[in-house]
Amino acid sequence: MNRIAFIAKTDINTDGRILNQLRILKEWNKDFVADLIVFPDKKVTISFDDSVKLHLIKGNFRHNKFLRIFTVFEFTINAFRLLKKLKPSIIHAQDSSILLPVLLFRVLYPKKFWLIYDDHEVPNENGPFLHKIMNELENFLIKNSDAVIMANKERMMYLKEKLHLKNNLFYFLNLPYFDVHPSIVPSSVMESKLYELEQRKKRGTKFIVHQ
């Protein structure tokens, strides 16, 4: 059986894209199991059944912008070591925030695993110099992935033409594929959020809805 590893830097509690993907895969295959490697943005408060084994990577310098370089280095080393220990046959890499350890693993073990790169959103190509370097590294990883999943069809067609991609390309929309049970989102919290939105609307606030 293939050993699948998802790797992400995210607030997994609310990351609907990853949670939907895991649930869909489990519904397609009742024997589905996966390692979920997470560098958490917030404390993990949700739980998973036996099909998903959660691996949390902790950082000693998290949320300190002056020590960001150490956070990146620490995450890269710890994530790479974990991937080497798990020896997955398939890696599902979730966006550019986990770029460095996956790229390092790809370069050192190019034939050992099948790589799926999940491109969540369009990067800011007018960002600072360091961001431009990361964009180039991301493009390199995309080209060297066995499959790439985009957030929408337009992004998929754009990158296919821009990067001259020959690998397997798919898109997975950020949609509510499953009903949200009322018990998951307390009604009081929902009412509070809706009230806040309504008040902002009355004050003339404009909203941009991002999928």
Side-chain angles (χ1 to χ4, degrees):
M1 181 182 296
N2 290 325
R3 182 159 195 169
I4 304 173
F6 279 67
I7 178 169
K9 173 190 172 295
T10 185
D11 175 10
I12 194 61
N13 306 299
T14 59
D15 197 317
R17 185 176 183 85
I18 297 177
L19 297 177
N20 278 330
Q21 289 172 347
L22 289 170
R23 183 169 174 180
I24 289 171
L25 287 170
K26 184 179 179 182
E27 292 199 353
W28 281 351
N29 180 5
K30 299 302 181 182
D31 297 322
F32 169 78
V33 291
D35 292 290
L36 177 57
I37 304 169
V38 176
F39 193 34
D41 290 337
K42 294 183 179 180
K43 181 180 178 181
V44 178
T45 57
I46 63 173
S47 59
F48 297 91
D49 60 23
D50 293 340
S51 67
V52 177
K53 184 176 182 180
L54 181 63
H55 306 267
L56 296 180
I57 296 181
K58 299 180 180 180
N60 295 316
F61 309 103
R62 243 7 245 289
H63 308 303
N64 187 325
K65 63 180 181 180
F66 300 107
L67 299 177
R68 180 173 173 77
I69 184 64
F70 296 103
T71 299
V72 173
F73 179 77
E74 184 179 36
F75 166 68
T76 300
I77 296 300
N78 290 338
F80 175 81
R81 287 176 174 171
L82 184 54
L83 287 172
K84 188 175 180 181
K85 177 182 178 182
L86 294 174
K87 296 182 175 63
S89 52
I90 300 174
I91 293 179
H92 190 142
Q94 297 282 345
D95 206 32
S96 60
S97 55
I98 50 75
L99 178 65
L100 294 180
V102 175
L103 182 59
L104 181 61
F105 202 71
R106 188 55 158 177
V107 170
L108 294 181
Y109 304 100
K111 305 296 183 181
K112 296 287 186 178
F113 65 99
W114 214 72
L115 177 60
I116 302 171
Y117 184 75
D118 203 317
D119 178 68
H120 289 194
E121 57 189 30
V122 180
N124 180 10
E125 297 186 356
N126 296 317
F129 180 69
L130 183 58
H131 285 189
K132 292 180 179 179
I133 293 177
M134 295 301 291
N135 288 344
E136 289 301 316
L137 290 176
E138 181 183 23
N139 290 340
F140 176 81
L141 187 61
I142 288 174
K143 291 179 180 179
N144 287 277
S145 297
D146 298 289
V148 182
I149 302 176
M150 313 290 184
N152 54 63
K153 184 178 180 180
E154 291 73 22
R155 170 72 169 164
M156 181 181 74
M157 301 307 297
Y158 169 75
L159 279 185
K160 180 179 181 180
E161 180 178 349
K162 177 184 178 182
L163 302 179
H164 308 290
L165 299 177
K166 304 296 184 183
N167 38 11
N168 298 293
L169 302 177
F170 309 92
Y171 63 93
F172 181 84
L173 299 176
N174 293 326
L175 299 175
Y177 292 93
F178 303 97
D179 292 334
V180 177
H181 299 292
S183 59
I184 295 177
V185 181
S187 58
S188 60
V189 174
M190 184 66 70
E191 290 175 3
S192 174
K193 295 298 183 182
L194 291 174
Y195 176 78
E196 181 181 351
L197 288 174
E198 186 63 30
Q199 294 305 305
R200 288 179 178 273
K201 182 180 178 181
K202 290 180 179 179
R203 294 196 295 268
T205 302
K206 304 297 182 182
F207 297 95
I208 297 176
V209 180
H210 176 30
Q211 70 161 356

